[in-house]
């Protein structure tokens, strides 16, 4: 506060009265006692008037402001100066609300004198303050430009930080935590199985520690070059994809120090305001899925908050003429577009069709209907479209709402769309019957048009391309064995046994694709043509990049059948990975599974930690760990709890009916 604050006091200075003395001495001799008394009365009335005027004059300067505070029926005449400058208010008394004026006029002469003395001491104090301020100003002037600039900068940063704190993430509305069953050690009991599980845990530690040492904060790791790595699905961001993807696996395996390390990195570094063009699908399944699973398992709010912050950044991708999202979105600008290679500017079925689980959880956790509405809109739109032979083509143009090239696959480009129909139903505690029906219809068409038996008796799922069936199956397609088994219960016409059998046949075929290689690791794609069965033909289909799908199917089949062969097959795969993919800087993919002397691709994929090692660990754990009645794994193996909504309706669900 500066000098003008003093004005109201100095401008209204009242002459000091001492008892028995008049302020008008030249009249004293000539005046009689009664006249004196009358004069005294007039004087005191004048003083009262002055005080009254002082209180009720209009407030025309914020420096002169007098607040009349109302508290418990009492008006407090508050201090016109900031409290740190004035410990003793000039009028420290309180008057009852109804009789403010009479109360003030009843102040005795002594009180008045005390007030005036106090006013004097206040004046001294203000004078001292004033001098100190002058001194400070002089010192400032003596400082160099640089010093002043630095001071201003510090001040600015502080203000910016304070503002940031103010506008920081708003607390999310509290929602009841869904029933969380089966977060436990999952001790398998049998020492031999336990030993195998310990080995998987050790592999996870090697993968994590290597990433921690050489790639920390980067999206992935180059285990040979021993440095960070990224791909175009993450744009040019450095968002620690491996950390987020691996969190729940670390938690499930009881690697708590590592989990805490990851959590700390996320708290301090994970920032989504980056000028990076990312894949909506990949960010959803790895980051949002990973963060939500970490939240449900650990209960740490930070993961939920980060998941929601990121989800908000993905929403602009849905601003297309049809509401079918772009494949990619710039996290900063919100501008979206599609992959250049996708048929006629199309969006991809497996990408826009693999958002449902995470988005429903987001609406559940935030109360924001937008997420639910976006994915339900996609479902409604697809339901209205014609499907060639009942099949869903992999490409859909988000501008025109028309299918692109007629290519249908249960592997790459199509796979998790079918998976999420089934899982939407499971995640809703089997109440989302629309999703179940859509799944059943789709699978029926797939069985009719895409699933065949080879001459050698291997069941495979081919791809529909331009009116004919390509007898080729991808490693990615091998997840379908697990999906058929998971969907067996609840399938129409009591076909549960049939679908469990189909799951077993796919598991067998995929195991064959591993077993027929030199490294006992599966190729990226394998044929069933011209006498060839479950083997890759083209050089560029012979690689293994640490993918999980075959092991995923082994795990589901194990859970539903407890046939020991699935543990045995899983162990074979684990040993092969440890033997041929392990290097001193982590785990690497290999370029040719048919060569006894393979070369490395030098990438440790984040899904190796999220999925491959998690499914292996679960395969050697007891069924009590994350039971399938209570948890649904997203397509990146991040477990999300079943939402027993009961009578609760998700916000926005009414508008969709
Ligand atoms: C994972 O990111 C997911 O499983 C996705 O659905 C497809 N493929 C990779 C791993 O192979």
């Amino acid at each position: 506060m500066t000098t003008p604050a003093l004005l109201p006091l100095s401008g209204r200075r009242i002459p000091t009265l001492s008892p028995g003395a008049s302020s008008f001495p030249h009249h004293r001799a000539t005046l009689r006692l009664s006249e004196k008394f009358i004069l005294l009365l007039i004087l005191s009335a004048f003083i009262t008037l002055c005080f009254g005027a002082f209180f009720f004059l209009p407030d025309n300067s914020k420096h002169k402001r007098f607040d009349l505070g109302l508290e418990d029926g009492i008006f407090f005449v508050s201090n016109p100066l900031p409290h740190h400058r004035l410990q003793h208010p000039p009028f420290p008394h309180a008057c009852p609300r109804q009789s403010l004026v009479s109360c003030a006029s009843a102040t005795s002469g002594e009180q008045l004198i005390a007030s005036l003395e106090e006013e004097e001491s206040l004046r001294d104090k203000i004078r001292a303050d004033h001098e100190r301020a002058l001194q400070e100003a002089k010192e400032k002037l003596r400082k160099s430009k640089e010093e002043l600039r630095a001071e201003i900068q510090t001040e600015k940063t502080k203000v910016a930080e304070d503002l940031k704190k103010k506008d920081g993430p708003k607390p999310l509305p509290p929602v009841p935590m869904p029933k969380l069953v089966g977060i436990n050690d999952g001790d398998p009991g049998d020492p031999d199985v336990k030993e195998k599980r310990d080995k998987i845990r050790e592999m996870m530690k090697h993968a994590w520690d290597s990433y921690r040492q050489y790639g920390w904060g980067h999206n992935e790791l180059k285990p040979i070059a021993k440095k960070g790595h990224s791909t175009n699905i993450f744009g040019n961001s450095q968002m620690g994809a491996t950390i987020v993807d691996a969190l729940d696996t670390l938690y499930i395996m009881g690697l708590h120090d590592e989990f805490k390390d990851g959590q700390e990195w996320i708290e301090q570094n994970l920032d989504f305001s980056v000028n990076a063009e990312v894949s909506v699908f990949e960010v959803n399944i790895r980051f949002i899925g990973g963060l939500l699973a970490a939240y449900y398992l650990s209960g740490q709010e930070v993961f939920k908050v980060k998941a929601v912050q990121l989800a908000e950044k993905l929403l602009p991708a849905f601003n297309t003429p049809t509401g079918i999202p772009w494949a990619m979105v710039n996290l900063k600008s919100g501008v979206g577009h599609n992959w250049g290679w996708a048929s006629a500017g199309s969006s991809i079925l497996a990408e826009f069709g693999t958002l449902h689980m995470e988005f429903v959880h987001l609406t559940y956790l935030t109360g924001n209907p937008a997420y639910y509405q976006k994915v339900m809109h996609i479902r409604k739109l697809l339901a209205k479209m014609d499907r060639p032979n009942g099949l869903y083509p992999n490409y859909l143009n988000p501008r025109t709402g028309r299918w692109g090239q007629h290519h249908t696959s249960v592997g790459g480009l199509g796979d998790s769309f079918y998976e999420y129909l089934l899982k939407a139903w499971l995640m809703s505690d089997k109440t989302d019957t629309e999703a179940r029906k859509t799944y059943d219809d789709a699978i029926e068409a797939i069985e009719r048009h895409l699933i065949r038996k080879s001459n050698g008796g291997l069941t495979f799922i081919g791809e529909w391309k331009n009116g004919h069936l390509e007898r080729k199956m991808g490693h990615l397609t091998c997840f379908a064995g697990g999906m058929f088994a998971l969907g067996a219960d609840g399938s129409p016409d009591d076909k549960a046994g049939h679908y469990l059998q189909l799951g077993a046949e796919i598991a067998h075929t995929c195991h064959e694709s591993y077993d027929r290689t030199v490294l006992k690791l599966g190729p990226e794609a394998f044929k069933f043509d011209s006498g060839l069965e479950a083997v890759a033909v083209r050089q560029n289909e012979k690689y293994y990049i640490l993918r999980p799908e075959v092991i995923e199917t082994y795990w589901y089949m194990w859970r539903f059948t407890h046939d020991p062969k699935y543990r045995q097959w899983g162990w074979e795969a684990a040993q092969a990975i440890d033997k041929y993919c392990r290097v001193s800087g982590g785990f690497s993919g290999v370029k040719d599974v048919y060569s006894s002397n393979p070369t490395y691709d030098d990438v440790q994929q984040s899904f190796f930690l999220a999925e491959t090692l998690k499914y292996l660990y679960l395969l050697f754990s007891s069924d009590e760990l994350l039971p399938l009645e209570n948890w649904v794994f997203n397509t990146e193996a991040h477990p999300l709890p079943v939402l027993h909504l009961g009578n609760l309706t998700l916000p926005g669900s009414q508008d969709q009916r």
Side-chain angles (χ1 to χ4, degrees), residues 281-282 285-286 415-416 476 547-549 607 611 635-636:
F281 158 77
E282 295 288 358
I285 65 168
R286 299 189 200 212
D415 47 9
S416 42
L476 288 164
R547 285 198 193 278
E549 292 77 16
F607 54 67
E611 299 189 73
T635 193
E636 187 79 0

Side-chain angles (χ1 to χ4, degrees), residues 233 245 281-282 285-286 350 354 411-412 415-417 419-420 475-476 479 524 545-549 552 605-608 610-612 615 634-637:
I233 59 172
D245 231 4
F281 158 77
E282 295 288 358
I285 65 168
R286 299 189 200 212
T354 309
D415 47 9
S416 42
F417 162 70
E419 177 186 353
Y420 268 37
H475 191 290
L476 288 164
F479 91 97
E524 181 67 4
I545 56 166
L546 305 169
R547 285 198 193 278
E549 292 77 16
E552 175 182 349
Q605 308 274 351
S606 80
F607 54 67
F608 178 62
E611 299 189 73
T612 313
Y615 286 130
N634 87 341
T635 193
E636 187 79 0

